[in-house]
Each structure stands twice: as structure tokens, then as C-alpha cells.
């Protein structure tokens, strides 16, 4: 490997503005299992599949159905609601 490199003629990475940001998210075990199984069928990492799905939701401005029966008891929505009361 060289001691010095010449970057004077290099160009900026055109994909840099599309770089991903690492976040921590808590998902239900059955949700993760679903995406892992589907990702295995498709031959892609499950994180990529979740990202593709969330991007599709964001691009179509899809809003989640907020029903009591699809929000688990471990959801933070309950503790936030209780704090407001």
C-alpha cells in the first residue's frame, strides 16, 4: 500500500445523500419472524425487506390502522396515554 494517495481528481460519492441511518427499534417477535421468513424466501436480508416495506409505506403516505386490538400490551402507547390522564 502506498504511503500517500492523490485524491485531487476524485469525485464526491453520488450515493452519499442516500446513505442509511442506523436506528434502534423494538419490534414484536412475531413481526420479526414474519419478515425473516419472507426475506429468506426472497433471498435478501430481513432488515432490507423491512426497509423496503417502510419506504413503500412512506412514499404512498400509508397510515397505520390504530385499533386497540392490534396494539399489544407492551406498546409504549399505553404508558404515554396514562401519563396524559
Amino acid at each position: 500500500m502506498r504511503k500517500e494517495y492523490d485524491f485531487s481528481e476524485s469525485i464526491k460519492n453520488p450515493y452519499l445523500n442516500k446513505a442509511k441511518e442506523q436506528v434502534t427499534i423494538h419490534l414484536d417477535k412475531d413481526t420479526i419472524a414474519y419478515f425473516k421468513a419472507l426475506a429468506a424466501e426472497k433471498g435478501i436480508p430481513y432488515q432490507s425487506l423491512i426497509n423496503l416495506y417502510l419506504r413503500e409505506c412512506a412514499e404512498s403516505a400509508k397510515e397505520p390502522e390504530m385499533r386497540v386490538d392490534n396494539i399489544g400490551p407492551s406498546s409504549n402507547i399505553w404508558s404515554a396515554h396514562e401519563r396524559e390522564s
Side-chain angles (χ1 to χ4, degrees):
M1 197 152 85
R2 297 181 189 173
K3 289 187 177 185
E4 293 183 27
Y5 289 89
D6 180 17
F7 294 105
S8 63
E9 306 229 358
S10 63
I11 59 170
K12 187 175 179 180
N13 183 345
Y15 302 104
L16 188 58
N17 62 346
K18 296 182 180 186
K20 295 183 179 185
E21 180 178 347
Q22 182 176 351
V23 297
T24 300
I25 184 170
H26 297 271
L27 302 172
D28 297 329
K29 289 182 179 182
D30 55 341
T31 301
I32 296 170
Y34 169 79
F35 278 102
K36 281 185 175 182
L38 189 58
E41 289 177 22
K42 305 292 182 188
I44 62 172
Y46 75 98
Q47 296 97 330
S48 297
L49 182 60
I50 292 171
N51 186 63
L52 288 170
Y53 181 74
L54 292 175
R55 183 185 313 141
E56 184 179 310
C57 290
E59 288 174 352
S60 66
K62 179 180 169 110
E63 293 190 23
E65 291 183 31
M66 297 299 288
R67 300 185 326 248
V68 174
D69 62 336
N70 70 1
I71 299 174
S74 64
S75 175
N76 289 338
I77 194 169
W78 296 118
S79 58
H81 175 69
E82 291 170 1
R83 282 193 297 264
E84 293 174 4
S85 301

